[in-house]
Amino acid sequence: MALIDKYVPAFSFNERHAVLVDAPGDKVLDAILGFRPEDDPFFRAMIVLRELPMRTARVFGGDGQVSPKVFGIDDFTLLEHDDREVVFGLVGQFWRPDFGLARIPDGAAFAAFQRAGYVKLALNFATDAQSDGRIRLTTETRAFCPDRSARLKLLPYWYAVRPFSGLIRRRILAGLKRRSETAGATAPA
C-alpha cells in the first residue's frame, strides 16, 4: 500500500505526473527531501499571481501590511516517508485568497482532522525501480472534500489552477530528476 493511501484513501480530485530518472533510489529520495519548489522562478511567479488578491486587499484594506512570506513547501506538513515514498499534507480552504490554512503538526493530526468546509490535500513523491535500472518518479496530488459545500467551493478553483499546477508539478519532477542524476553521477562508486 502506498503511504498516500493511508492519509487520503478516497479523494474528490487528483492529479498525477511521472518522469524516469537515471539515478539510484536513495539519491532520488534525498533530492525530494531537500527540494524547495519555491526556488523555481516559475513557481514563485505562479504563487505571487495566486496571492495577488490577498496582497492587494491587504494594501488597500488599510493596514498596508503585505506578508513577506510566500506560500511554499514549509506550509505543508511532512506526514511520513519511507525508502520509496514521501507524503506531505495540507489542510485548508484553498479557494480563499489566504488559502484558509489549518495548521497540522504531524501525520496523526492530519489523519484525524475532520472539519466540514476544509479540504485535506496530500502530495506525494514515490519511486519505483524499473527493470532497466532507472527510477520511475511519480507525484500525485489528492484533495479530499468532506462535504458537498467544500467540494462545490473547490471545484472551480481546482479547474482554474489545474493547468498551472500541472506545469509546476512537471517542473518539480524535472528539477528532482536533474538533482538526482547530478548527485548520482558524482557519488563514489
Side-chain angles (χ1 to χ4, degrees):
M1 178 171 88
L3 293 178
I4 195 170
D5 293 331
K6 179 178 172 180
Y7 294 100
V8 182
F11 47 89
S12 310
F13 303 93
N14 80 313
E15 179 180 355
R16 185 179 194 132
H17 302 279
V19 67
L20 288 172
V21 181
D22 191 12
D26 63 327
K27 298 298 179 193
V28 178
L29 284 170
D30 289 346
I32 293 165
L33 290 168
F35 192 65
R36 312 276 316 162
E38 55 270 26
D39 290 343
D40 178 7
F42 181 78
F43 177 87
R44 283 195 316 270
M46 291 297 99
I47 293 300
V48 166
L49 184 62
R50 163 58 179 91
E51 292 180 345
L52 195 58
M54 176 181 60
R55 292 173 180 273
T56 302
R58 285 185 180 158
V59 168
F60 293 108
D63 67 6
Q65 297 289 326
V66 176
S67 172
K69 182 182 173 298
V70 174
F71 181 83
I73 197 68
D74 291 335
D75 291 298
F76 285 80
T77 299
L78 175 59
L79 302 178
E80 189 172 347
H81 71 88
D82 61 18
D83 62 346
R84 291 191 55 247
E85 185 179 2
V86 179
V87 183
F88 298 94
L90 190 64
V91 174
Q93 297 171 318
F94 307 113
W95 55 88
R96 288 181 32 186
D98 66 354
F99 299 100
L101 298 180
R103 295 291 169 199
I104 304 298
D106 56 31
F110 182 90
F113 188 92
Q114 300 291 330
R115 191 177 315 162
Y118 280 82
V119 175
K120 288 171 67 169
L121 185 140
L123 166 66
N124 87 331
F125 294 93
T127 62
D128 184 34
Q130 304 296 291
S131 60
D132 64 3
R134 295 185 294 173
I135 299 292
R136 180 177 174 81
L137 173 60
T138 60
T139 182
E140 184 176 6
T141 303
R142 294 180 180 179
F144 172 71
C145 302
D147 56 61
R148 185 173 189 271
S149 174
R151 183 169 170 40
L152 290 174
K153 288 177 181 172
L154 185 63
L155 181 70
Y157 175 76
W158 182 268
Y159 286 109
V161 303
R162 188 169 184 186
F164 306 104
S165 174
L167 183 56
I168 288 169
R169 298 293 184 271
R170 288 188 296 276
R171 286 181 63 93
I172 289 171
L173 287 175
L176 291 171
K177 175 181 171 68
R178 261 189 320 277
R179 285 174 174 244
S180 300
E181 289 176 349
T182 299
T186 60

